Amino acid sequence: VTLGVHLPAHITDIGYSTLQAGYIVMVYSTFALFTQIIGGYLGDRLVKKYVLTIFLIIQSIALFILSLVRNIVGIIVFSIFYGIAFGGRNPLFTSIRGDYFDRSVFATLFGLSGMVINVGTTSGPIIAGLIYDVYGSYTTALWGLTIIAFCGCLLLLTLPPVPKRIKF
């Protein structure tokens, strides 16, 4: 959400038009559309935590690229990487919950995790805006998002193996 709110502002801040910023959002959204299918397919055939980790590493790389580049080619490279990661991780975040928790608590789990997610959803854009106000650039905020995404990769790797369930 933080990137969705501040990406157009960042792109216009470094000298591009609002229309060009919209095209960048379109590029990453288009890539995300197709990689959702790929992410879901890979998640059904491979260990989800590793596939999800790879997509989060790609997302971290994309955010790092965005924090450094100021030219349109670099921004397009960011949008391709980010779209691949964003699309690929979406079905995996949902389905990995099903691997670790029983169906009978799925709605409760979504409700509880939604509360945690909403803390980041509401505070992230505000914090990024404050960082921009203090430093006059989104670079520091983007580095922060990069670090948070990379920490997510490390946390995923600490997940235990999926518990075996009896199938009826």
Side-chain angles (χ1 to χ4, degrees), residues 8-48:
H10 172 63
I11 292 171
T12 57
D13 189 53
I14 59 174
Y16 296 97
S17 71
T18 306
L19 183 62
Q20 288 169 312
Y23 285 138
I24 295 303
V25 172
M26 182 193 68
V27 169
Y28 87 67
S29 297
T30 302
F31 273 86
L33 175 73
F34 292 105
T35 21
Q36 271 191 302
I37 298 164
I38 295 167
Y41 178 82
L42 292 174
D44 285 342
R45 281 151 186 77
L46 304 171
V47 178
K48 285 183 188 78

Side-chain angles (χ1 to χ4, degrees), residues 21-72:
Y23 285 138
I24 295 303
V25 172
M26 182 193 68
V27 169
Y28 87 67
S29 297
T30 302
F31 273 86
L33 175 73
F34 292 105
T35 21
Q36 271 191 302
I37 298 164
I38 295 167
Y41 178 82
L42 292 174
D44 285 342
R45 281 151 186 77
L46 304 171
V47 178
K48 285 183 188 78
K49 79 174 187 179
Y50 297 126
V51 178
L52 185 52
T53 299
I54 290 168
F55 282 120
L56 282 179
I57 288 170
I58 296 169
Q59 182 175 356
S60 300
I61 292 168
L63 292 167
F64 182 70
I65 289 169
L66 183 62
S67 74
L68 297 176
V69 300
R70 298 290 179 260
N71 60 55
I72 197 69

Side-chain angles (χ1 to χ4, degrees), residues 78-106:
F78 148 77
S79 66
I80 292 169
F81 274 57
Y82 189 77
I84 290 168
F86 186 72
R89 74 182 178 85
N90 279 344
L92 297 170
F93 269 134
T94 302
S95 65
I96 200 168
R97 292 174 182 146
D99 290 348
Y100 284 93
F101 299 95
D102 189 62
R103 285 178 14 172
S104 65
V105 296
F106 210 63

